[in-house]
């Protein structure tokens, strides 16, 4: 029986595939390669196609005996979602609907889902708990919340069990050096900062210096991608053991401002990393920091690389060895 990983050629998906393979699991990846890379799929079978193509998905479920799905495939950029809401509803909400229908027709009833801190919006309290208010401030978070709700109703009607993992900000790369972050165009803070250190950009833009935070820049909770991968294996185990549907935050519980991230990157790389202060980017909450107590208690999940310095050093190892990502 195989684990079907949608978006498995992408950043977090490819690290989770590596973890599944390391534990001897059979893996099938579905990816349309809009962001993913063939080279990022280091084993298993890659089926290239789109979630929204019902014939393609039916064929994938016919060809492979699937026991559970891990669903990463989505459009996932806060800034872009504020300019292209239609793309986000179509790829994320309609895409997940197509996936759930294909699963239902194939009799597959377990799904681990990539949700996000963006489902919360401006937090009621910090650190954020799973029971806190969900009121997204951007289209991306709104679509992810809709996807969570959709799974809930498929559970009620069809017994589809889901674990929704609300991750905070993923960063870092695989210890082997074989896989890492390679988005085109890149929009994430840490890889952009490291591109400055590599001499590929002159400076890093800071989006907003007037937030209600200690230094005025946005605060995020950065979590190592391999710690996220480990959480997916634990969530999968919960479902395959017959566990009920659940929602978990995944973060380290410590927030770092944009300026603090740049400062740590200066220490790690030895580069001065010049910065320029720009206006706010639409849709960004000021502070997102996780309480991951529930994942710790119920999944036994303990991040192994919780220090921001180690996370950035891990990303730096990948980016300095692969300055053009999978192109070399
Ligand atoms: N990167 C983060 O910090 C972060 C944090 C929270 C949640 N997430 C979520 O985690 C998931 C993975 O994020 P990532 O950073 O690895 O993104 P990514 O873009 O690297 O990976 C997504 C993959 O899905 C594929 N894909 C997208 N739409 C598809 C479709 N319709 N059919 C088939 N394949 C499709 C892309 O080609 C890509 O390989 C996303 O769902 C994202 O919303 C990411
Ligand atoms: O050039 C840049 C890029 C980003 N930022 C800021 O840095 C922070 C982090 O931004 P980014 O790395 O783009 O991540 P987020 O927008 O926080 O979103 C990531 O983290 C979310 C969870 O918190 C996920 O759901 C998203 O998919 C993922 O892209 C934000 O305050 C941005 O405004 C800058 O100041 N300059």
């Amino acid at each position: 029986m195989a684990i079907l990983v949608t978006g498995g050629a992408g950043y977090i998906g490819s690290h989770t595939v590596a973890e599944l393979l390391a534990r001897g699991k059979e893996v099938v990846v579905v990816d349309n390669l809009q962001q993913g890379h063939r080279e990022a799929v280091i084993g298993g079978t890659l089926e290239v196609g789109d979630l929204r193509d019902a014939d393609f998905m039916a064929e994938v479920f016919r060809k492979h005996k699937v026991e559970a799905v891990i669903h990463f495939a989505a459009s996932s950029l806060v800034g872009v979602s504020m300019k292209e809401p239609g793309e986000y509803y179509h790829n994320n909400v309609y895409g997940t609907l197509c996936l759930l229908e294909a699963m239902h027709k194939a009799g597959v009833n377990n799904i681990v889902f990539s949700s996000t801190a963006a489902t919360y919006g401006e937090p009621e309290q910090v650190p954020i708990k799973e029971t806190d208010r969900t009121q997204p401030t951007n289209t991306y978070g709104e679509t992810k919340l809709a996807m969570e709700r959709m799974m809930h109703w498929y559970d009620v009607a069809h017994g589809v069990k889901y674990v929704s993992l609300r991750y905070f900000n993923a960063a870092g790369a695989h210890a082997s050096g074989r896989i890492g972050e390679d988005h085109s165009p890149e929009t994430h803070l840490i890889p952009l900062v490291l591109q400055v250190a590599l001499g590929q950009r002159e400076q890093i833009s800071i989006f907003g210096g007037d937030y209600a935070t200690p230094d005025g820049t946005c605060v995020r909770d950065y979590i190592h991608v391999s710690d996220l991968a480990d959480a997916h294996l634990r969530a999968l185990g919960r479902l395959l053991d017959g566990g009920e549907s659940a929602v978990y935050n995944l973060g380290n519980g410590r927030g770092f401002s944009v300026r603090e991230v740049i400062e740590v990157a200066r220490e790690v790389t030895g580069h001065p990393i010049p910065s320029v202060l720009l206006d706010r980017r639409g849709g960004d909450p000021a502070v997102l920091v996780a309480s991951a107590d529930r994942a710790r208690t119920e999944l036994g999940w303990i991040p192994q690389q919780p220090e921001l310095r180690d996370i950035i050093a891990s990303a730096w190892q990948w980016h300095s060895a692969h300055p053009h990502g999978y192109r070399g």
Side-chain angles (χ1 to χ4, degrees):
M1 293 284 269
I3 307 301
L4 176 67
V5 183
T6 77
Y11 172 44
I12 308 170
S14 61
H15 286 75
T16 303
V17 167
E19 195 65 33
L20 287 164
L21 294 169
R23 310 244 188 126
K25 294 278 187 187
E26 194 187 323
V27 176
V28 178
V29 168
V30 163
D31 201 300
N32 65 4
L33 302 180
Q34 74 177 38
Q35 274 290 342
H37 307 269
R38 281 180 193 278
E39 306 87 317
V41 183
I42 63 169
T45 307
L46 171 62
E47 299 282 3
V48 177
D50 197 293
L51 285 184
R52 296 162 292 185
D53 179 341
D55 293 341
F56 164 73
M57 289 304 290
E59 179 61 13
V60 167
F61 279 103
R62 199 192 53 72
K63 248 171 88 179
H64 304 280
K65 211 154 173 40
V66 173
E67 69 179 330
V69 173
I70 307 184
H71 178 31
F72 293 98
S75 298
S76 64
L77 304 177
V78 167
V80 179
S81 80
M82 297 301 284
K83 298 189 171 124
E84 302 292 343
E87 176 199 329
Y88 276 69
Y89 275 92
H90 201 268
N91 200 27
N92 294 358
V93 179
Y94 178 59
T96 298
L97 176 60
C98 294
L99 172 65
L100 288 172
E101 280 298 298
M103 286 172 61
H104 178 51
K105 284 184 187 141
V108 178
N109 283 328
N110 293 309
I111 178 167
V112 178
F113 172 63
S114 299
S115 189
T116 166
T119 53
Y120 293 107
E122 291 293 349
E124 288 178 274
Q125 57 169 354
V126 176
I128 303 172
K129 291 196 170 67
E130 291 84 351
T131 44
D132 288 352
R133 179 187 64 202
T134 47
Q135 201 168 294
T137 55
N138 53 64
T139 311
Y140 162 64
E142 191 73 50
T143 62
K144 286 275 169 171
L145 196 55
M147 294 151 88
E148 284 193 2
R149 299 305 297 158
M150 197 188 295
M151 288 185 294
H152 165 76
W153 294 112
Y154 270 73
D155 184 358
V156 171
H158 301 309
V160 171
K161 298 296 168 203
Y162 65 93
V163 172
S164 184
L165 299 175
R166 293 181 178 161
Y167 352 128
F168 286 60
N169 289 52
H174 199 264
S176 67
R178 285 183 75 183
I179 51 176
E181 187 162 14
D182 179 6
H183 292 119
S184 184
E186 188 52 78
T187 63
H188 294 95
L189 180 63
I190 290 178
L192 287 176
V193 165
L194 297 179
Q195 287 179 4
V196 180
L198 283 170
Q200 296 174 342
R201 286 173 193 271
E202 289 205 346
Q203 58 199 13
I204 183 73
S205 304
I206 298 175
F207 297 142
D210 58 350
Y211 287 95
T213 60
D215 69 14
T217 66
C218 285
V219 170
R220 295 288 180 274
D221 181 344
Y222 294 88
I223 177 80
H224 197 284
V225 65
S226 296
D227 283 324
L228 288 182
D230 174 54
H232 287 76
L233 273 286
R234 291 171 187 274
L236 184 66
R238 177 190 165 99
L239 290 177
L240 296 180
D241 287 346
E244 283 303 312
S245 295
V247 178
Y248 298 104
N249 285 341
L250 299 177
N252 280 309
R254 282 171 63 196
F256 294 90
S257 72
V258 174
R259 286 192 195 282
E260 286 173 325
V261 168
I262 297 169
E263 193 48 47
V264 175
R266 286 182 182 128
E267 289 164 19
V268 168
T269 63
H271 189 282
I273 311 184
S275 64
V276 57
L277 184 59
L278 301 185
D279 287 345
R280 290 181 178 201
R281 188 179 68 177
D284 277 338
V287 179
L288 291 172
V289 177
S291 161
D293 289 349
R294 188 188 275 181
R296 198 167 292 117
T297 312
E298 294 185 17
L299 298 177
W301 180 69
I302 299 169
Q304 299 301 300
Q305 298 176 75
E307 299 300 326
L308 182 63
R309 170 182 268 279
D310 297 339
I311 294 172
I312 293 181
S314 150
W316 179 233
Q317 193 184 357
W318 161 257
H319 288 287
S320 46
H322 306 270
H324 304 288
Y326 289 99
R327 287 177 292 121

